[in-house]
Short mmCIF file of all heavy atoms in Angstrom, two decimals:
data_model
loop_
_atom_site.label_atom_id
_atom_site.label_comp_id
_atom_site.label_asym_id
_atom_site.label_seq_id
_atom_site.Cartn_x
_atom_site.Cartn_y
_atom_site.Cartn_z
N GLU A 1 0.78 -1.24 0.01
CA GLU A 1 -0.02 -0.02 0.03
C GLU A 1 0.88 1.27 -0.02
O GLU A 1 0.37 2.35 -0.42
CB GLU A 1 -0.95 0.01 1.20
CG GLU A 1 -1.93 -1.08 1.25
CD GLU A 1 -1.46 -2.38 1.95
OE1 GLU A 1 -0.22 -2.47 2.15
OE2 GLU A 1 -2.30 -3.23 2.27
N ALA A 2 2.11 1.17 0.50
CA ALA A 2 2.93 2.34 0.53
C ALA A 2 4.27 2.11 -0.11
O ALA A 2 5.33 2.70 0.16
CB ALA A 2 3.13 2.75 2.02
N PHE A 3 4.32 1.13 -1.11
CA PHE A 3 5.51 0.95 -1.93
C PHE A 3 5.08 1.32 -3.33
O PHE A 3 4.43 0.56 -4.01
CB PHE A 3 5.97 -0.46 -1.83
CG PHE A 3 7.36 -0.76 -2.35
CD1 PHE A 3 8.12 -1.65 -1.70
CD2 PHE A 3 7.91 -0.11 -3.40
CE1 PHE A 3 9.46 -1.95 -2.12
CE2 PHE A 3 9.16 -0.29 -3.84
CZ PHE A 3 9.99 -1.25 -3.18
N LEU A 4 5.42 2.50 -3.71
CA LEU A 4 4.86 3.12 -4.97
C LEU A 4 5.95 3.50 -5.96
O LEU A 4 7.11 3.77 -5.60
CB LEU A 4 4.04 4.32 -4.52
CG LEU A 4 3.10 4.25 -3.35
CD1 LEU A 4 2.44 5.58 -3.00
CD2 LEU A 4 2.05 3.20 -3.62
N VAL A 5 5.51 3.58 -7.24
CA VAL A 5 6.47 4.05 -8.27
C VAL A 5 5.79 5.19 -9.03
O VAL A 5 4.55 5.26 -9.07
CB VAL A 5 6.83 2.89 -9.22
CG1 VAL A 5 7.67 1.86 -8.50
CG2 VAL A 5 5.56 2.30 -9.87
N ALA A 6 6.65 6.03 -9.59
CA ALA A 6 6.20 7.07 -10.53
C ALA A 6 6.76 6.76 -11.88
O ALA A 6 7.93 6.42 -12.06
CB ALA A 6 6.72 8.41 -10.01
N GLU A 7 5.93 6.87 -12.87
CA GLU A 7 6.28 6.48 -14.28
C GLU A 7 5.90 7.64 -15.23
O GLU A 7 4.84 8.27 -15.07
CB GLU A 7 5.58 5.26 -14.82
CG GLU A 7 6.14 3.98 -14.23
CD GLU A 7 5.41 2.76 -14.87
OE1 GLU A 7 4.21 2.88 -15.24
OE2 GLU A 7 6.04 1.66 -15.02
N ILE A 8 6.69 7.83 -16.18
CA ILE A 8 6.39 8.76 -17.35
C ILE A 8 6.69 8.02 -18.60
O ILE A 8 7.78 7.63 -18.90
CB ILE A 8 7.23 10.09 -17.28
CG1 ILE A 8 6.91 10.86 -16.03
CG2 ILE A 8 6.96 10.87 -18.57
CD1 ILE A 8 7.71 12.13 -15.84
N GLY A 9 5.63 7.79 -19.35
CA GLY A 9 5.82 7.06 -20.59
C GLY A 9 6.38 5.70 -20.43
O GLY A 9 7.18 5.27 -21.33
N GLY A 10 6.10 5.02 -19.39
CA GLY A 10 6.64 3.70 -19.15
C GLY A 10 8.01 3.67 -18.47
O GLY A 10 8.51 2.62 -18.16
N LYS A 11 8.61 4.87 -18.34
CA LYS A 11 9.90 4.95 -17.65
C LYS A 11 9.72 5.28 -16.16
O LYS A 11 8.96 6.10 -15.80
CB LYS A 11 10.78 6.07 -18.25
CG LYS A 11 12.12 6.26 -17.61
CD LYS A 11 12.88 7.42 -18.23
CE LYS A 11 14.18 7.60 -17.51
NZ LYS A 11 15.04 8.67 -18.19
N HIS A 12 10.44 4.44 -15.37
CA HIS A 12 10.42 4.71 -13.90
C HIS A 12 11.24 5.94 -13.56
O HIS A 12 12.43 5.93 -13.90
CB HIS A 12 10.97 3.51 -13.16
CG HIS A 12 10.14 2.25 -13.33
ND1 HIS A 12 10.04 1.55 -14.47
CD2 HIS A 12 9.37 1.54 -12.39
CE1 HIS A 12 9.20 0.47 -14.30
NE2 HIS A 12 8.86 0.41 -13.05
N VAL A 13 10.63 6.88 -12.89
CA VAL A 13 11.34 8.07 -12.58
C VAL A 13 11.44 8.37 -11.12
O VAL A 13 12.10 9.27 -10.66
CB VAL A 13 10.68 9.29 -13.31
CG1 VAL A 13 10.73 9.17 -14.77
CG2 VAL A 13 9.32 9.57 -12.81
N GLY A 14 10.68 7.57 -10.28
CA GLY A 14 10.72 7.79 -8.86
C GLY A 14 10.05 6.64 -8.12
O GLY A 14 9.40 5.80 -8.74
N TYR A 15 10.30 6.61 -6.79
CA TYR A 15 9.62 5.54 -6.02
C TYR A 15 9.63 6.03 -4.51
O TYR A 15 10.31 7.03 -4.11
CB TYR A 15 10.43 4.24 -6.11
CG TYR A 15 11.74 4.28 -5.37
CD1 TYR A 15 11.79 3.83 -3.96
CD2 TYR A 15 12.93 4.74 -5.87
CE1 TYR A 15 12.94 3.94 -3.26
CE2 TYR A 15 14.11 4.79 -5.26
CZ TYR A 15 14.11 4.36 -3.86
OH TYR A 15 15.28 4.47 -3.11
N ILE A 16 8.84 5.36 -3.79
CA ILE A 16 8.85 5.50 -2.32
C ILE A 16 8.50 4.10 -1.78
O ILE A 16 7.74 3.36 -2.29
CB ILE A 16 7.81 6.57 -1.86
CG1 ILE A 16 7.93 6.87 -0.33
CG2 ILE A 16 6.37 6.14 -2.16
CD1 ILE A 16 7.25 8.03 0.13
N MET A 17 9.25 3.78 -0.66
CA MET A 17 8.91 2.53 0.04
C MET A 17 8.93 2.79 1.53
O MET A 17 9.68 3.55 2.07
CB MET A 17 9.92 1.40 -0.36
CG MET A 17 11.37 1.68 -0.11
SD MET A 17 12.36 0.25 -0.74
CE MET A 17 13.99 0.71 -0.08
N CYS A 18 8.06 2.02 2.17
CA CYS A 18 7.88 2.23 3.64
C CYS A 18 7.82 0.87 4.34
O CYS A 18 7.73 -0.17 3.71
CB CYS A 18 6.56 3.06 3.92
SG CYS A 18 6.47 4.55 3.01
N LYS A 19 7.77 0.93 5.65
CA LYS A 19 7.53 -0.31 6.40
C LYS A 19 6.73 0.08 7.62
O LYS A 19 6.50 1.22 7.95
CB LYS A 19 8.88 -0.95 6.82
CG LYS A 19 9.68 -0.07 7.80
CD LYS A 19 10.99 -0.84 8.14
CE LYS A 19 11.90 -0.03 9.12
NZ LYS A 19 13.12 -0.81 9.48
N THR A 20 6.27 -0.94 8.35
CA THR A 20 5.52 -0.69 9.63
C THR A 20 6.35 -1.30 10.76
O THR A 20 7.11 -2.23 10.55
CB THR A 20 4.13 -1.35 9.62
OG1 THR A 20 4.24 -2.70 9.33
CG2 THR A 20 3.26 -0.69 8.56
N GLU A 21 6.16 -0.72 11.94
CA GLU A 21 6.88 -1.19 13.09
C GLU A 21 6.14 -0.83 14.36
O GLU A 21 5.30 0.13 14.31
CB GLU A 21 8.34 -0.62 13.14
CG GLU A 21 8.41 0.89 13.10
CD GLU A 21 9.76 1.47 12.67
OE1 GLU A 21 10.49 0.68 11.92
OE2 GLU A 21 10.08 2.52 13.06
N TYR A 22 6.38 -1.46 15.46
CA TYR A 22 5.83 -1.09 16.73
C TYR A 22 6.95 -0.49 17.62
O TYR A 22 8.08 -1.01 17.67
CB TYR A 22 5.24 -2.32 17.37
CG TYR A 22 4.00 -2.81 16.68
CD1 TYR A 22 4.02 -3.73 15.59
CD2 TYR A 22 2.72 -2.38 17.06
CE1 TYR A 22 2.93 -4.18 14.97
CE2 TYR A 22 1.57 -2.81 16.42
CZ TYR A 22 1.69 -3.74 15.36
OH TYR A 22 0.51 -4.13 14.68
N GLY A 23 6.54 0.57 18.38
CA GLY A 23 7.57 1.14 19.23
C GLY A 23 6.92 2.31 20.00
O GLY A 23 5.79 2.63 19.90
N PHE A 24 7.79 2.98 20.69
CA PHE A 24 7.37 4.13 21.49
C PHE A 24 6.91 5.26 20.59
O PHE A 24 7.50 5.57 19.52
CB PHE A 24 8.47 4.62 22.40
CG PHE A 24 8.72 3.68 23.58
CD1 PHE A 24 9.87 2.93 23.62
CD2 PHE A 24 7.78 3.49 24.61
CE1 PHE A 24 10.13 2.05 24.62
CE2 PHE A 24 8.04 2.57 25.58
CZ PHE A 24 9.21 1.87 25.61
N SER A 25 5.83 5.97 20.99
CA SER A 25 5.32 7.04 20.17
C SER A 25 6.31 8.21 20.09
O SER A 25 7.06 8.49 20.98
CB SER A 25 4.04 7.55 20.79
OG SER A 25 3.52 8.70 20.26
N ASN A 26 6.25 8.85 19.01
CA ASN A 26 7.05 10.10 18.81
C ASN A 26 6.28 11.28 19.37
O ASN A 26 6.89 12.43 19.35
CB ASN A 26 7.26 10.32 17.28
CG ASN A 26 8.24 9.35 16.69
OD1 ASN A 26 9.35 9.20 17.09
ND2 ASN A 26 7.76 8.57 15.70
N PHE A 27 5.07 11.08 19.90
CA PHE A 27 4.29 12.18 20.42
C PHE A 27 3.84 11.97 21.86
O PHE A 27 3.79 12.95 22.61
CB PHE A 27 3.07 12.39 19.52
CG PHE A 27 3.32 12.78 18.09
CD1 PHE A 27 3.55 11.86 17.14
CD2 PHE A 27 3.53 14.09 17.75
CE1 PHE A 27 3.81 12.22 15.79
CE2 PHE A 27 3.84 14.49 16.48
CZ PHE A 27 4.02 13.55 15.50
N LYS A 28 3.57 10.75 22.26
CA LYS A 28 3.03 10.47 23.56
C LYS A 28 4.19 9.96 24.48
O LYS A 28 4.98 9.08 23.99
CB LYS A 28 1.95 9.41 23.50
CG LYS A 28 0.74 9.92 22.73
CD LYS A 28 -0.29 8.78 22.65
CE LYS A 28 -1.56 9.20 21.83
NZ LYS A 28 -1.25 9.36 20.41
N LYS A 29 4.28 10.41 25.68
CA LYS A 29 5.43 10.05 26.52
C LYS A 29 5.48 8.56 26.83
O LYS A 29 6.54 7.91 26.86
CB LYS A 29 5.35 10.82 27.83
CG LYS A 29 5.63 12.30 27.67
CD LYS A 29 5.65 13.04 29.03
CE LYS A 29 6.00 14.54 28.83
NZ LYS A 29 6.03 15.21 30.12
N LEU A 30 4.34 7.96 27.10
CA LEU A 30 4.28 6.53 27.42
C LEU A 30 3.61 5.71 26.41
O LEU A 30 3.24 4.52 26.65
CB LEU A 30 3.53 6.42 28.77
CG LEU A 30 4.23 7.17 29.97
CD1 LEU A 30 3.43 6.99 31.21
CD2 LEU A 30 5.61 6.66 30.22
N GLY A 31 3.35 6.26 25.27
CA GLY A 31 2.57 5.48 24.24
C GLY A 31 3.44 4.42 23.47
O GLY A 31 4.63 4.64 23.18
N PHE A 32 2.86 3.22 23.29
CA PHE A 32 3.46 2.20 22.46
C PHE A 32 2.47 2.03 21.32
O PHE A 32 1.40 1.54 21.55
CB PHE A 32 3.62 0.89 23.29
CG PHE A 32 4.57 -0.09 22.59
CD1 PHE A 32 5.84 0.08 22.62
CD2 PHE A 32 4.01 -1.22 21.95
CE1 PHE A 32 6.75 -0.83 22.06
CE2 PHE A 32 4.83 -2.13 21.37
CZ PHE A 32 6.22 -1.97 21.44
N VAL A 33 2.97 2.32 20.12
CA VAL A 33 2.02 2.44 18.97
C VAL A 33 2.51 1.69 17.74
O VAL A 33 3.71 1.28 17.60
CB VAL A 33 1.77 3.92 18.63
CG1 VAL A 33 1.19 4.66 19.79
CG2 VAL A 33 3.12 4.57 18.16
N LYS A 34 1.59 1.54 16.75
CA LYS A 34 2.01 1.04 15.48
C LYS A 34 2.39 2.25 14.53
O LYS A 34 1.59 3.15 14.50
CB LYS A 34 0.89 0.23 14.83
CG LYS A 34 1.19 -0.37 13.50
CD LYS A 34 0.07 -1.19 12.92
CE LYS A 34 0.44 -1.85 11.57
NZ LYS A 34 -0.71 -2.65 11.00
N LYS A 35 3.56 2.19 14.04
CA LYS A 35 4.04 3.35 13.27
C LYS A 35 4.47 2.92 11.79
O LYS A 35 4.94 1.83 11.56
CB LYS A 35 5.36 3.87 13.94
CG LYS A 35 5.16 4.34 15.37
CD LYS A 35 6.40 4.92 15.91
CE LYS A 35 7.47 3.94 16.20
NZ LYS A 35 8.61 4.62 16.95
N GLY A 36 4.19 3.88 10.91
CA GLY A 36 4.72 3.75 9.58
C GLY A 36 6.11 4.45 9.50
O GLY A 36 6.27 5.41 10.22
N HIS A 37 7.01 3.92 8.71
CA HIS A 37 8.34 4.35 8.69
C HIS A 37 8.69 4.52 7.13
O HIS A 37 8.75 3.54 6.46
CB HIS A 37 9.29 3.52 9.36
CG HIS A 37 10.74 4.05 9.38
ND1 HIS A 37 11.76 3.29 9.96
CD2 HIS A 37 11.27 5.17 8.97
CE1 HIS A 37 12.89 4.00 9.87
NE2 HIS A 37 12.60 5.13 9.24
N MET A 38 8.90 5.71 6.72
CA MET A 38 9.33 5.96 5.36
C MET A 38 10.81 5.55 5.24
O MET A 38 11.70 6.23 5.81
CB MET A 38 9.12 7.44 4.99
CG MET A 38 9.46 7.69 3.45
SD MET A 38 9.43 9.52 3.09
CE MET A 38 7.77 9.91 3.62
N VAL A 39 11.07 4.56 4.48
CA VAL A 39 12.44 4.01 4.38
C VAL A 39 13.22 4.77 3.34
O VAL A 39 14.44 5.16 3.57
CB VAL A 39 12.44 2.53 4.06
CG1 VAL A 39 13.79 1.98 3.83
CG2 VAL A 39 11.70 1.72 5.19
N SER A 40 12.59 5.03 2.25
CA SER A 40 13.36 5.67 1.15
C SER A 40 12.39 6.26 0.11
O SER A 40 11.37 5.63 -0.15
CB SER A 40 14.25 4.61 0.44
OG SER A 40 14.95 5.14 -0.65
#
């Protein structure tokens, strides 16, 4: 769902890939949440 490509005329010109992980929240002090992580 979050591993995407950009194409122009059949040529690959860009991409994005992500993953999911569980860990401490970046916003809540004590939160343990499911997070998306943009890898590249």
